[in-house]
Amino acid sequence: MTRLSIDPDMQACIEACQHCHNVCLQTAMTHCLHMGGRHVEEQHLRLMINCSEICQTTVNFMLSQSALHSVVCSACAQVCHACQASCERIGDMDECVAACRACAESCDAMGLDGMVPRGEGASYRPAH
């Protein structure tokens, strides 16, 4: 079985997204539920789960070498920035803040502003 090589920048983004997925999910389901109070505010907990999910979806788009991965990376960066801000506001969530920040920065670089989609679907341009 032949494996297509993945660009080192994309590989780093895949790893950042996978790490963020793991940290957000684990933190939401263990730390936040245990702490209660502000940690389980509906909007905050929902954002953490959404962040975890978009990170996993972003990994899937990059691993499949989808021509639309940059669109998903841009969305992931926005969600990670929002999750980072929410975790900073709640406090006592340094690992989640760091994971979201690293993922957002990596996805920003891979997103629509960071690169032009290649291959099939390369002419795709979202409406502004």
Side-chain angles (χ1 to χ4, degrees), residues 8-84:
D9 291 334
M10 185 178 286
Q11 183 61 44
C13 190
I14 289 169
E15 291 169 10
C17 288
Q18 190 64 60
H19 180 68
C20 191
H21 163 77
N22 295 345
V23 169
C24 284
L25 183 60
Q26 183 177 20
T27 301
M29 294 294 109
T30 60
H31 176 74
C32 289
L33 289 178
H34 175 75
M35 294 297 290
R38 293 172 38 149
H39 285 81
V40 291
E41 289 175 353
E42 185 178 343
Q43 186 176 355
H44 172 71
L45 200 57
R46 181 179 290 123
L47 182 57
M48 289 189 71
I49 299 303
N50 291 162
C51 187
S52 176
E53 289 298 317
I54 192 71
C55 287
Q56 187 61 58
T57 298
T58 303
V59 166
N60 295 344
F61 268 70
M62 288 187 285
L63 286 175
S64 69
Q65 296 186 353
S66 169
L68 299 176
H69 76 273
S70 60
V71 174
V72 179
C73 284
S74 291
C76 187
Q78 290 178 32
V79 174
C80 285
H81 283 301
C83 191
Q84 173 189 340

